[in-house]
Amino acid sequence: MAFSSDVLGKHGLSVRSLVQDGEPASSIPLILPDDHEYDAKTRTVHRKPGAERRKLYPVPEALQMLKKIDKPLSIISICGPMRTGKSYILSRLLGKPDAFDLGHTMDPKTYGIWMGTHVLTGKNKNGQEFCVLLLDTEGIDSPFATSSQDASIFVLTILMCSLLIYNSTNVPYKKDLEKLECFSKLADAISVRGQDAEASVEEATELKNYFPDFLWLLRDVTLIIPQDGDGKPMDPTTYIKTKVLVRGKTFKTTSQDDTAQAIMCLFPNIEGFTLPPPHSDETVMQNIAKYTNELTPKFREGVNQLMDKLLTHAKTKNKRGYGAASFVTGELLAIMIAKYVDAVNDPNSIPSLDNTWKSTIELHIQEIMAELVQEYKTRMESMVQAATGGKQIPLEEHTEGAGSMGIMNMHKVVFDEVCDKFRQKAGRFSTALTSSSEQGDSTANLLQKFQKKLVEYKAKQTELKGKKYQTSEVSGGELWGFLQRNRQLSEQHCTRLYLSLFDAIKAKLEHDVSKYTFKDLEKDITQLNQEYERKARGPMKYAVLKKMDEEVAATHAQTFKKVKGFQDKVMKEQQKRKEAENEAKAAAENVTRLREETNMMKDTHSKNMKNMAEEHDKQMIQLKEDGRRRAEEDMQKLKDMQQSNFKELTTMFQEINTQQNERLTKMLDQMMENSASQSKQTASLIEAIKDMPAPEVHVDGGGGCVIQ
């Protein structure tokens, strides 16, 4: 029987490369000891001459690959003694015999932690897109690492994966737990909330909510697993739970008991799986990847069954974040790895799930905000350049209909786009943000913070047609910068335009005033106003017109009097009328601007209220599903503990679970209360912003001018 090529297809999964340039290596070091270095050009690892291994460090090139994954991750990692075929198992998941470097001598080939440069992509059981990431680890008994260095690798592996495969040879017995002492120290090596004291039973029990599932893979099994009470062979899972991970019958607990208790308490689900020897020939056994087609049918069938089991698990369980119903993406994992490595390198520190998760989310949200603010600026600049043909000319702030777009019209398009992206990117962590801390921000609050980076409004009371309206005007944010630059351009453009149009009148006044009649002056001023109205651009055109009319009237008052047939009274009445008209038009434009900006803010509030409701419903569904799954795991865990003779922990475990369920219920109630309060506040704000009619400019016969 050949290895099945349809296993991935059966689960709707496909292989995707994380490397774009050239033929990628099949794996890359993610975390290395500091006596080794990664050469990105040759994609090889070298030992540093004369260097001594002291710490670990994350490989930047691998972190950059991780940041390309914006989907939830299911992370399968394998650990165990060196030279037991760990790399081969992960390679088979990618449909290859040698995707991860396989060693054929007693010198280990894997140092630190390596990840595949290919991921499996598809949809999980909820129809959500996700990726499967594979991690290979250095053997825990490497001759080049101390026990504490082994422990650091092991802790990091636990922190990163959603399924831990412990790979060992033959059927284990209770005495073999002496080799797994690293498990018994896990509770004190990882903290839930950053406490310095030794882990309490409550905290150790809570760790299981964030630990990976545990699969003990027994390789080269030739012995028959002992029979159960009915005389039938036990399945590997039952054997491990009832014969290996059990408390001894002696009065005093042993190190084996401590290891068994740690595995039973810390890992939410525990299973076993066996594989027979691949071949009887020693040459084949030393390089099974090379002799894939010569491996025994039983081994190939067993590997296919194992692949099916692992992929089924991957589709069922994503890597969880710290926080109810939260998950980890490649972007988040890259940040978390850097923080976890710093913690394991510091002898006075231990990795804290709570603090790391909070700081990771906060940093990632800041990155999302910065990225989308820059996208807003780039898109706005591009639209302005397209509308102006790359010239330094002003645009209108608002336009009606399907013609050219004003600055505010552009803003609305880009604003809606980047806000939708922010909701999608930050909304993925909504339950994590809400539930990981009492002071955590909801997506709605974060969205409002993000929106303020783009545009800020200040309240303003405006009177129109005898009524007072609560309006809002732009006062800050990135939009304010675009508006200010456009207003400056408008003022410069309109000033130049007015002066150029007045030059013709000025020439007549200076060179041929004796032939220049008052009627000619009136006609030229009318033409100037008409040309100005036609060519003036931007929001400052009426303000500039008013200012320039006043300056011209003051500067050329004496020259105007030299005009033939000049009528001072008529001129002053016309100036007064024109001034009132300019003021009214400028005021009308200002009211129009306030009306548009107020409606835009009202629209934003309405969308935010709708999204808050959707976010709340989604959170409640996620949290309830998370609670249901935990309840199922807790029931199985209680049963396992009773079978393993850890009865004194069973009662305590039940009490702690009851407390955790009460906290979850309390959090759900608080979320409902907060959601109702936010919706009420936003609805009140929208209600206060009444619709304002469009202004009209009316010029009366007596030279007065009003806005209606």
Side-chain angles (χ1 to χ4, degrees):
M1 178 181 180
F3 285 111
S4 174
S5 59
D6 299 327
V7 175
L8 294 181
K10 171 185 173 182
H11 292 276
L13 299 173
S14 59
V15 179
R16 178 169 71 88
S17 175
L18 297 176
V19 183
Q20 303 299 328
D21 53 330
E23 183 65 27
S26 56
S27 59
I28 183 174
L30 178 59
I31 297 171
L32 280 175
D34 57 0
D35 61 342
H36 285 70
E37 60 184 348
Y38 175 66
D39 186 332
K41 291 183 179 179
T42 62
R43 293 168 178 163
T44 55
V45 173
H46 306 286
R47 189 190 295 273
K48 297 178 183 177
E52 185 178 346
R53 178 170 177 168
R54 295 181 181 277
K55 293 184 177 182
L56 299 169
Y57 71 95
V59 177
E61 290 83 358
L63 296 184
Q64 287 303 315
M65 285 187 193
L66 278 178
K67 289 179 180 179
K68 297 176 183 177
I69 306 174
D70 61 356
K71 302 290 188 295
L73 281 175
S74 181
I75 306 171
I76 300 175
S77 183
I78 192 163
C79 69
M82 59 174 282
R83 305 301 304 115
T84 53
K86 299 186 299 299
S87 301
Y88 179 80
I89 293 299
L90 293 185
S91 296
R92 291 306 325 172
L93 276 169
L94 294 175
K96 300 180 179 181
D98 56 355
F100 287 84
D101 197 7
L102 309 180
H104 313 307
T105 67
M106 290 308 293
D107 184 21
K109 286 291 183 181
T110 305
Y111 293 94
I113 300 175
W114 287 59
M115 76 173 198
T117 57
H118 294 74
V119 293
L120 303 178
T121 63
K123 293 186 177 181
N124 61 22
K125 66 169 186 175
N126 298 321
Q128 182 183 33
E129 291 185 356
F130 83 115
C131 292
V132 182
L133 180 70
L134 306 177
L135 301 180
D136 191 12
T137 67
E138 181 176 355
I140 60 174
D141 54 357
S142 168
F144 301 101
T146 65
S147 59
S148 63
Q149 291 165 349
D150 277 347
S152 295
I153 294 288
F154 186 56
V155 166
L156 288 170
T157 304
I158 294 287
L159 290 168
M160 287 191 287
C161 66
S162 52
L163 174 63
L164 177 70
I165 304 172
Y166 182 75
N167 188 83
S168 66
T169 55
N170 297 314
V171 176
Y173 296 94
K174 178 72 185 294
K175 61 182 178 61
D176 293 322
L177 294 179
E178 291 177 358
K179 303 173 186 176
L180 306 181
E181 188 181 3
C182 52
F183 282 90
S184 64
K185 297 177 180 178
L186 277 174
D188 292 328
I190 301 172
S191 168
V192 176
R193 298 185 185 84
Q195 289 128 343
D196 295 328
E198 289 187 2
S200 64
V201 175
E202 180 177 359
E203 177 156 309
T205 302
E206 192 174 354
L207 278 172
K208 76 168 178 55
N209 295 325
Y210 312 105
F211 263 44
D213 287 342
F214 180 80
L215 176 66
W216 196 333
L217 178 58
L218 311 178
R219 304 287 293 275
D220 303 341
V221 174
T222 56
L223 298 175
I224 297 175
I225 291 180
Q227 297 178 339
D228 60 17
D230 297 326
K232 298 178 182 178
M234 290 185 183
D235 65 82
T237 298
T238 303
Y239 173 75
I240 288 171
K241 287 181 179 180
T242 61
K243 299 298 181 182
V244 182
L245 301 178
V246 293
R247 179 172 179 173
K249 297 181 179 180
T250 59
F251 177 75
K252 188 177 181 180
T253 58
T254 64
S255 60
Q256 300 168 14
D257 294 332
D258 293 339
T259 298
Q261 177 178 306
I263 295 174
M264 289 299 298
C265 285
L266 296 176
F267 295 93
N269 292 301
I270 298 168
E271 290 188 87
F273 194 91
T274 61
L275 283 176
H279 205 278
S280 58
D281 189 311
E282 187 175 336
T283 303
V284 175
M285 290 288 285
Q286 288 178 351
N287 192 350
I288 59 176
K290 181 179 179 181
Y291 299 100
T292 295
N293 294 330
E294 297 180 29
L295 303 181
T296 66
K298 279 191 175 182
F299 179 77
R300 293 199 295 268
E301 181 181 1
V303 170
N304 279 337
Q305 291 173 353
L306 176 61
M307 298 302 104
D308 186 67
K309 185 179 189 68
L310 296 179
L311 295 176
T312 299
H313 182 278
K315 293 184 68 172
T316 306
K317 201 164 187 179
N318 293 330
K319 170 62 182 170
R320 294 190 55 195
Y322 181 84
S326 60
F327 56 82
V328 173
T329 64
E331 301 159 309
L332 294 180
L333 184 62
I335 300 172
M336 293 166 70
I337 286 171
K339 294 179 181 296
Y340 284 146
V341 170
D342 285 343
V344 299
N345 281 336
D346 183 353
N348 299 316
S349 177
I350 60 174
S352 165
L353 298 178
D354 185 18
N355 294 338
T356 300
W357 181 248
K358 287 177 187 174
S359 59
T360 296
I361 292 294
E362 288 169 4
L363 179 59
H364 188 51
I365 292 297
Q366 289 171 11
E367 290 176 347
I368 292 173
M369 285 188 179
E371 173 193 334
L372 292 178
V373 166
Q374 184 58 48
E375 181 175 332
Y376 172 87
K377 291 164 66 176
T378 301
R379 288 271 286 114
M380 284 290 288
E381 290 284 3
S382 176
M383 293 180 80
V384 169
Q385 290 292 312
T388 61
K391 299 176 182 178
Q392 289 290 309
I393 56 176
L395 297 171
E396 299 300 333
E397 287 192 359
H398 301 274
T399 57
E400 301 288 342
S404 59
M405 298 180 73
I407 294 289
M408 293 300 290
N409 304 87
M410 296 175 183
H411 161 75
K412 187 175 188 316
V413 171
V414 182
F415 180 83
D416 287 346
E417 286 178 3
V418 294
C419 284
D420 284 343
K421 287 184 179 180
F422 184 84
R423 290 186 196 100
Q424 292 169 9
K425 288 175 175 283
R428 288 180 275 178
F429 314 112
S430 57
T431 51
L433 292 164
T434 306
S435 61
S436 65
S437 168
E438 291 180 2
Q439 298 177 344
D441 281 316
S442 67
T443 309
N445 290 337
L446 286 169
L447 178 61
Q448 290 173 5
K449 289 182 181 179
F450 171 66
Q451 289 171 340
K452 282 187 177 181
K453 290 180 179 292
L454 303 181
V455 55
E456 281 194 77
Y457 294 95
K458 70 177 180 181
K460 189 172 184 178
Q461 198 171 70
T462 303
E463 187 169 339
L464 186 65
K465 295 183 179 181
K467 291 184 179 181
K468 291 183 178 180
Y469 293 88
Q470 186 66 37
T471 60
S472 299
E473 67 176 342
V474 177
S475 61
E478 295 296 333
L479 174 60
W480 178 245
F482 283 97
L483 292 175
Q484 288 297 90
R485 287 195 295 275
N486 189 62
R487 288 168 188 173
Q488 290 173 1
L489 286 173
S490 177
E491 185 174 7
Q492 294 166 4
H493 171 83
C494 292
T495 300
R496 287 195 300 267
L497 173 64
Y498 188 98
L499 291 174
S500 68
L501 293 173
F502 186 71
D503 279 345
I505 298 175
K506 185 178 178 182
K508 292 178 182 179
L509 289 171
E510 292 177 349
H511 302 298
D512 204 11
V513 70
S514 61
K515 296 180 181 180
Y516 198 34
T517 67
F518 184 63
K519 282 190 175 181
D520 291 334
L521 177 61
E522 286 182 307
K523 181 181 177 182
D524 287 345
I525 290 176
T526 299
Q527 287 180 339
L528 181 151
N529 288 326
Q530 289 173 347
E531 279 295 292
Y532 182 89
E533 283 273 3
R534 190 170 65 85
K535 295 181 178 179
R537 296 171 65 99
M540 300 301 291
K541 61 184 177 184
Y542 292 117
V544 169
L545 181 60
K546 179 178 180 296
K547 175 187 173 185
M548 296 307 297
D549 278 349
E550 291 172 352
E551 287 184 4
V552 165
T555 304
H556 298 278
Q558 295 304 317
T559 308
F560 285 150
K561 290 179 181 179
K562 297 177 183 179
V563 172
K564 191 175 182 178
F566 181 77
Q567 299 181 39
D568 186 60
K569 183 178 179 181
V570 173
M571 188 69 170
K572 286 182 178 178
E573 286 177 351
Q574 288 177 347
Q575 287 175 346
K576 183 179 179 182
R577 178 185 177 87
K578 183 70 184 306
E579 183 179 333
E581 184 177 340
N582 288 342
E583 286 181 354
K585 286 181 177 179
E589 189 156 283
N590 185 54
V591 170
T592 299
R593 176 180 62 81
L594 288 172
R595 177 172 174 263
E596 293 296 329
E597 291 176 12
T598 300
N599 288 340
M600 199 169 289
M601 189 188 73
K602 184 177 179 180
D603 180 62
T604 298
H605 283 315
S606 297
K607 287 181 178 178
N608 286 350
M609 186 167 69
K610 178 184 177 183
N611 285 310
M612 278 191 292
E614 291 175 353
E615 175 195 335
H616 171 72
D617 292 343
K618 184 178 178 182
Q619 285 180 347
M620 297 299 285
I621 292 171
Q622 287 178 328
L623 289 168
K624 288 176 181 177
E625 172 63 21
D626 194 57
R628 182 197 62 75
R629 183 184 57 77
R630 283 194 190 186
E632 290 178 356
E633 290 179 352
D634 290 344
M635 287 293 291
Q636 183 61 50
K637 184 60 63 179
L638 281 170
K639 181 180 177 182
D640 291 344
M641 283 184 172
Q642 289 170 343
Q643 290 178 337
S644 300
N645 295 328
F646 293 112
K647 294 180 180 177
E648 70 276 13
L649 292 177
T650 303
T651 302
M652 192 178 301
F653 183 82
Q654 288 175 312
E655 292 174 354
I656 292 169
N657 283 339
T658 300
Q659 293 171 6
Q660 291 177 356
N661 291 334
E662 288 174 353
R663 283 201 297 269
L664 177 61
T665 301
K666 201 173 183 180
M667 184 180 69
L668 290 171
D669 292 340
Q670 186 64 49
M671 285 175 60
M672 292 185 69
E673 190 176 315
N674 291 343
S675 177
S677 175
Q678 283 184 326
S679 296
K680 186 176 180 181
Q681 289 175 10
T682 307
S684 299
L685 187 59
I686 294 172
E687 177 62 26
I689 306 173
K690 295 182 171 62
D691 291 333
M692 180 190 294
E696 300 171 4
V697 177
H698 173 69
V699 183
D700 62 34
C705 192
V706 296
I707 307 173
Q708 292 187 339

